[in-house]
């Protein structure tokens, strides 16, 4: 009984020391995020790729399970392009990746069919349901808003026009001008120079962990949209803001602007 009382007493004493520390930690002041320029990724971040997925699946004989494999293959070979210095547009890499997977799976697919399956839906994508409200709210805060994508100049122009999102942005930057794909750090550094903004005054909003990791590495603030099926890369630093959609990100920016 004496030992039990001693244990309880020591637990109470230790808890009395720990409690203030826990309280202090929970009431830490949040660093306000107030960038001068906000860069936006577009595909998946703003625009819904469901139609692309359906088109690619149809081209692959209805094999829905191959669609994520196609997208990661496209990303993989964009990085191969970075390393070899042989640039092809993101659309060209997407078409080539689709042809590769069709051959690997013994699915009959002509180059023209692959081109149609990728290009037709990619140029005419609808925004996610949260995007218009989210963009309006961020726009109201007075930030300069720029798209920064792996698409071509013509590709992003068509996408923004067809989705009716062009009105919310002050400009667009694409890797076509640099011929190097994100998340190569040179892309983010080039973008900040183009916009004449210091790294600490730049922010990226994206739904891709690899994109967030690249922007963070050059000193940008980052906001991650946790779209369904997405997850953060555990070995990278956590983003400054996280939300399930753009509206949640906008609300956090509004709170920081007060």
């Amino acid at each position: 009984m004496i030992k039990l009382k001693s244990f309880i007493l020591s637990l109470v004493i230790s808890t009395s020391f720990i409690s203030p520390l826990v309280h202090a930690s929970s009431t830490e002041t949040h660093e306000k995020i107030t960038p001068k320029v906000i860069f936006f990724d577009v595909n998946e971040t703003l625009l819904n790729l469901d139609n692309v997925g359906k088109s690619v699946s149809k081209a692959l004989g209805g094999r829905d399970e191959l669609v994520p494999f196609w997208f990661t293959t496209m990303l993989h070979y964009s990085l191969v392009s970075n390393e070899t210095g042989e640039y092809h547009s993101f659309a060209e890499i997407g078409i080539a990746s689709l042809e590769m997977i069709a051959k690997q799976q013994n699915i009959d697919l002509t180059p023209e069919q692959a081109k149609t399956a990728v290009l037709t839906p990619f140029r005419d994508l609808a925004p996610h349901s949260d995007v218009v409200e989210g963009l309006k709210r961020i726009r109201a805060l007075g930030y300069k808003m720029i798209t920064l994508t792996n698409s071509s100049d013509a590709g992003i122009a068509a996408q923004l026009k067809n989705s009716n999102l062009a009105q919310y942005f002050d400009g667009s930057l694409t890797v076509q001008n640099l011929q190097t794909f994100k998340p190569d750090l040179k892309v983010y550094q080039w973008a900040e120079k183009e916009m004449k903004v210091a790294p600490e005054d730049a922010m990226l909003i994206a739904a891709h962990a690899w994109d967030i990791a690249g922007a963070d590495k050059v000193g940008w603030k980052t906001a991650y949209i946790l779209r369904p099926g997405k997850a953060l890369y555990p070995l990278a630093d956590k983003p400054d803001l996280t939300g399930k959609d753009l509206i949640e990100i906008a609300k956090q920016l509004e709170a920081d602007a007060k």
Side-chain angles (χ1 to χ4, degrees):
M1 177 65 77
I2 294 174
K3 288 184 178 180
L4 179 60
K5 286 182 178 179
S6 299
F7 172 75
I8 293 172
L9 181 60
S10 64
L11 184 63
V12 170
I13 293 172
S14 62
T15 303
S16 68
F17 282 106
I18 292 171
S19 295
L21 294 176
V22 172
H23 179 71
S25 175
S26 64
T27 56
E28 269 185 17
T29 55
H30 165 70
E31 179 189 355
K32 290 193 173 184
I33 309 298
T34 54
K36 292 181 180 177
V37 177
I38 299 181
F39 295 92
F40 291 76
D41 177 56
V42 176
N43 294 317
E44 284 197 294
T45 299
L46 302 179
L47 299 181
N48 191 327
L49 295 186
D50 283 354
N51 286 344
V52 178
K54 291 175 183 176
S55 180
V56 167
S57 175
K58 184 178 179 180
L60 294 172
R63 300 276 301 276
D64 290 350
E65 75 278 9
L66 294 177
V67 175
F69 182 41
W70 164 74
F71 193 73
T72 55
T73 300
M74 180 167 57
L75 292 175
H76 176 83
Y77 279 95
S78 70
L79 298 182
V80 170
S81 177
N82 283 0
E83 291 302 310
T84 61
E86 187 173 340
Y87 175 80
H88 298 281
S89 72
F90 206 46
E92 290 173 320
I93 295 173
I95 294 164
S97 298
L98 184 55
E99 291 184 68
M100 287 176 65
I101 293 171
K103 287 180 180 178
Q104 291 166 357
Q105 300 295 324
N106 296 314
I107 298 170
D108 291 331
L109 184 70
T110 67
E112 192 58 37
Q113 288 173 327
K115 183 177 180 180
T116 300
V118 173
L119 289 186
T120 301
F122 241 123
R123 294 289 175 90
D124 193 13
L125 299 174
H128 289 287
S129 60
D130 56 282
V131 165
V132 171
E133 181 182 343
L135 290 176
K136 285 180 178 178
R137 294 177 76 146
I138 295 173
R139 186 80 179 167
L141 296 173
Y143 293 124
K144 182 171 285 188
M145 296 163 62
I146 306 291
T147 61
L148 178 63
T149 80
N150 276 342
S151 299
S152 64
D153 290 345
I156 187 61
Q159 286 182 321
L160 293 180
K161 178 183 178 182
N162 294 335
S163 62
N164 200 31
L165 295 183
Q167 60 187 305
Y168 301 109
F169 295 99
D170 300 293
S172 295
L173 296 176
T174 78
V175 300
Q176 179 180 336
N177 298 275
L178 205 61
Q179 300 203 342
T180 300
F181 292 99
K182 296 186 294 179
D184 191 309
L185 303 188
K186 291 194 294 286
V187 176
Y188 309 99
Q189 292 164 339
W190 165 77
E192 68 192 34
K193 288 177 183 176
E194 286 292 303
M195 300 312 301
K196 297 179 174 59
V197 63
E200 61 270 21
D201 292 324
M203 180 179 200
L204 176 72
I205 296 179
H208 301 288
W210 49 265
D211 207 356
I212 292 293
D216 174 75
K217 203 66 178 176
V218 298
W220 290 15
K221 298 294 188 293
T222 56
Y224 183 62
I225 300 180
L226 196 60
R227 298 267 179 225
K230 298 297 181 185
L232 284 167
Y233 180 47
L235 298 182
D237 291 338
K238 290 183 179 180
D240 296 286
L241 304 177
T242 302
K244 66 178 175 59
D245 57 30
L246 190 58
I247 295 172
E248 284 196 355
I249 298 296
K251 287 179 178 178
Q252 293 173 70
L253 288 170
E254 287 169 345
D256 283 349
K258 292 179 181 178

